[in-house]
Amino acid sequence: MPGSPSSAPPPGRAQNAPPTVAPAFQRAPAVAAPLPAIPPPAAATLKPIAPNAAPQGPQRIEDFRAQRREVQEGGRTVIMEPGRLIIRDPSGQEFVRHEEMDRFRYGARDIRTEEVGGENRTIVIRPDGSEIITVTGRDGELLRRIRRDREGREIIIIDNTYRDPRAVGGFYIDLPPPVVRIPYDHYIVDASDAPPELIYDTMMAPPVDRIERRYSLDEIRYSPNVRMLMPSIDVNTINFDIGSWEISPDQAAKLQVIADGLNRAIQRNPREVFLIEGHTDATGNDTDNLSLSDRRAEAAAELLTQQFGVPAENLTSQGYGSQYLKEQTSGPSRINRRVTVRRITPLLNGSNASLPPPPPGYAPRR
């Protein structure tokens, strides 16, 4: 759970270098039901937002505390706040969920919603006529994310329809830590002192250990040892003030090298998907930290799209609170208030190698 002491061993590794980030203790959740999905936004609220519009709403966590509401649901505590659900399992673990459609509203020409065959579709139409189609089930769970060009050809960016019955609640899978056979400074790369080519190479690196099957997006989000199969980049070039997820203009410019690597990777393979992870230091309570880290991850993903042109549909975001500290301290730490970038395409596709560009041919028009 966020903020709990580290008692699990570090990932297995052939190298003798010490781990850069201490892993957190992780138990299987006590409640084996699916995590509740955040209610989708009402069609009336899905309006385009002008490019470079000022951030909407508050930018500090204390502004949300008074708006939180707790309910008991299926043995779990569900904490509702604007834009987020925080689910507290009886085991003590907490999970955060948010609705990603807000990121797609910036710069859109129009947004439509429709229901087809029991699926709900949100279609974001961009100024160039291309469309991003987000398909969800009746329970609000993401099924597919599709890019349709002006000629009607489609590429499936995320296919999230696979479910393994062995996964606890469909969102947690217990794997042993991966064996890391590459130098640790290439497994977890610090962006502050890494050359651009190393950042790009890390984004495109294959898994460090064998991938047994494809994983759902929730399994990747909520199962640490699944995510750890892929190398990552700690974006410690940008820092956040305590209790805030705002990225100031002088900090935003430091994302240029990350954005360049992402755009280069997506140009090579338009189906690439990257997870932007948010982290906090250990000050504050677990619920605040989880919400705050999730908002930091989303803020970084929004900025990468709005300022640097990284396609929103190739990014997803998730917060982890103070679960993964770089600096082992319970006090304030700018190093711990950071975001991390990780390519998850091989995890979604069950591939053990870096994916080549997509073959000729697209998904059929839907």
Side-chain angles (χ1 to χ4, degrees), residues 43-62:
T45 66
L46 282 174
K47 303 296 183 184
I49 300 175
N52 304 315
Q56 299 184 327
Q59 293 291 294
R60 299 190 65 83
I61 198 65
E62 59 261 26

Side-chain angles (χ1 to χ4, degrees), residues 93-270:
Q93 293 183 72
E94 289 189 340
F95 310 95
V96 62
R97 296 175 81 82
H98 70 270
E99 167 58 53
E100 289 200 288
M101 284 312 304
D102 262 357
R103 284 197 299 112
F104 294 85
R105 296 166 61 198
Y106 287 89
R109 190 177 79 195
D110 192 15
I111 302 175
R112 302 196 313 266
T113 59
E114 58 186 36
E115 185 175 339
V116 180
E119 296 179 345
N120 298 306
R121 301 184 180 193
T122 303
I123 304 167
V124 176
I125 304 169
R126 291 181 167 158
D128 65 358
S130 63
E131 300 174 354
I132 303 304
I133 305 165
T134 298
V135 183
T136 59
R138 291 191 184 278
D139 58 358
E141 188 76 14
L142 174 68
L143 298 178
R144 290 178 297 279
R145 180 155 289 144
I146 302 165
R147 182 192 297 123
R148 177 188 291 163
D149 67 19
R150 288 174 294 182
E151 286 71 42
R153 296 172 299 184
E154 295 182 352
I155 297 177
I156 297 177
I157 308 295
I158 296 176
D159 181 351
N160 197 42
T161 56
Y162 176 75
R163 297 291 184 269
D164 190 319
R166 295 169 295 177
V168 177
F171 69 91
Y172 178 83
I173 184 75
D174 194 13
L175 291 184
V179 175
V180 179
R181 299 176 177 86
I182 61 176
Y184 233 84
D185 58 357
H186 284 209
Y187 174 56
I188 301 177
V189 173
D190 282 342
S192 60
D193 54 11
E197 202 59 32
L198 175 57
I199 287 176
Y200 174 75
D201 288 346
T202 305
M203 289 178 179
M204 299 308 300
V208 297
D209 209 345
R210 180 166 182 78
I211 294 177
E212 297 299 330
R213 63 169 175 85
R214 60 189 288 199
Y215 296 98
S216 72
L217 190 55
D218 273 358
E219 287 175 330
I220 297 167
R221 290 181 189 278
Y222 302 119
S223 306
N225 289 342
V226 173
R227 289 193 308 279
M228 289 167 63
L229 286 162
M230 299 303 299
S232 62
I233 301 161
D234 269 347
V235 188
N236 46 11
T237 50
I238 60 169
N239 299 115
F240 299 87
D241 291 335
I242 292 176
S244 173
W245 54 91
E246 184 177 8
I247 303 175
S248 60
D250 63 311
Q251 294 285 305
K254 299 176 182 177
L255 280 172
Q256 181 72 63
V257 68
I258 299 297
D260 289 346
L262 290 170
N263 281 324
R264 181 179 169 189
I266 293 165
Q267 263 195 331
R268 176 179 179 268
N269 178 8

